[in-house]
Amino acid sequence: MTVPQPDLHHDPLKSAMTAIERDVEIAVQDLSRMVAVDTSFPPGEGYAPFADLMSELLEPLGFDFERVTVPRDLWYVAGGPASGERINLVAARESGKPVCGLYYHVDTVPVAPGWTRDPLSMTIEGDNLYGLGAADMKGTIAATLLALRAAKECGVSLAYDPMLLLCTDEEGGLYPGIRYLAEQGMLKGHILNFNGSAAPRVWAGCFGIFNLQVTITGHAVHAGEGNRTGAGVNAIEGALPVLNALAALKPEVAKKSSKLAPPPHATGPLRPSLTIAAVNGGTAGGQVPAEIKILVSRRYAPEESYEAARAEIETAIHTCLAGTDLKLAVDLVGHLIPTDDPDGPHWPRWQKALSEGFGYDKQDFAKWGAASCSDFGYVQKAGFGPEVLLGGLGRPESCIHSPEEHTTRQDIIALAKSILAYLAADFSADSIPETRQS
């Protein structure tokens, strides 16, 4: 009888890296199924079916699941555009190792005008994968599944127990799912946040953002009576001074600057901004419009005060409507606070893992922040961190939040290799902080 001899040349991690390249089409199929589930926010009605899909895809990998629903009274704004249960899926696989949380927001922005492809049916053109959320950030989930399947198939020993955090309402709203998990004490270990870019970047933090729903109310009458004294109050016409005042405030806000390090090759400092994001009002040509809603979005630097920035906007609005017959309501319908410097002991290892996957050199990395926003300011405020690792699939050409959003097979492969390397016990073992501490 011949006794099988062990393959002394077998390298599980190397084999898994090869498997990632070989099996990328499985990740493409997974991403196609994810894109087909409409998780746009607002309104946020697709979270339950998306949790069902993720449970199906993760169950063969040995994960246990917990669905955590954010209570309605925390996120719902009366009269706002949000609806549907806020279901967050926590998928854990605990074996006693240190935990590494892998974070994804599963919501997307709504479909914007201008798509030439079906945004909810993934289109494959060469290496490009088009679909709403393909880069931001369902493609990062597909990359993670690709990495975990390769690790299981090839017997890669992991340094960390992965905990997937598939969360709601990052794209807007008052109470992102990761905030609720943090405040409920459900987070463990340290977290890799995949809401970032495919770039050699060390995250320095980011701006905050708040959204105000401005509702101006007049009095509706037949349009033929609108020119009779006291007959009606046209809300849209009455709002014109408000819109002009907001437009005048916009360049004043943009004169401010932040000390937060800008991205490489930026032409100047990071600056706050004010945007009139949506305007809705009126019903028909035969009626004097009784109501107009204006959505105002304000990005603010870490050095700014949210209270002062909001007061500046509200003062401008109130001044325009003083002495009129119009009624005014201003409601906070979304708020992400700034994220402080998320540096920490795991960053050097994550840089090595990114270099393994994407081919970066050590000298390629730079530390910079962004005027884009994150829900991880709430995570830090809840006492978890401040360290947060950052990676993702975003590139300038990815059209994130725009028509024709896409990612590529090669970036999914690169991110999957980075994730596998970071989790693997045999990758740069001397850079695992928990090993050094023990």
Side-chain angles (χ1 to χ4, degrees), residues 109-182:
V109 295
V111 176
W115 279 85
T116 61
R117 304 166 179 87
D118 184 348
L120 296 176
S121 178
M122 197 171 74
T123 301
I124 302 174
E125 297 179 6
D127 195 41
N128 292 334
L129 310 172
Y130 292 89
L132 185 63
D136 183 26
M137 54 185 295
K138 293 176 179 179
T140 69
I141 306 174
T144 303
L145 291 170
L146 184 59
L148 293 175
R149 289 191 187 114
K152 179 181 179 181
E153 175 191 335
C154 300
V156 176
S157 177
L158 301 185
Y160 298 104
D161 285 333
M163 174 186 279
L164 277 66
L165 307 164
L166 298 142
C167 295
T168 58
D169 286 17
E170 190 273 345
E171 297 292 7
L174 288 171
Y175 230 94
I178 192 67
R179 175 184 181 181
Y180 187 69
L181 297 181

Side-chain angles (χ1 to χ4, degrees), residues 258-280:
S258 174
K259 296 179 181 178
L260 191 62
H265 312 301
T267 57
L270 295 171
R271 297 185 183 279
S273 63
L274 185 151
T275 303
I276 301 173
V279 178
N280 294 283

Side-chain angles (χ1 to χ4, degrees), residues 362-428:
K362 185 176 181 180
Q363 61 268 23
D364 294 334
F365 284 86
K367 187 170 184 176
W368 46 279
S372 59
C373 306
S374 170
D375 40 13
F376 270 75
Y378 290 121
V379 175
Q380 292 177 329
K381 187 177 180 180
F384 187 90
E387 183 184 41
V388 182
L389 307 180
L390 187 71
L393 294 173
R395 292 187 182 276
E397 64 270 24
S398 298
C399 301
I400 288 174
H401 289 198
S402 304
E404 320 307 353
E405 179 182 352
H406 65 280
T407 187
T408 67
R409 285 186 182 87
Q410 288 306 310
D411 274 354
I412 287 178
I413 289 171
L415 183 59
K417 288 183 175 182
S418 299
I419 294 167
L420 177 63
Y422 185 79
L423 295 176
D426 290 340
F427 175 78
S428 187

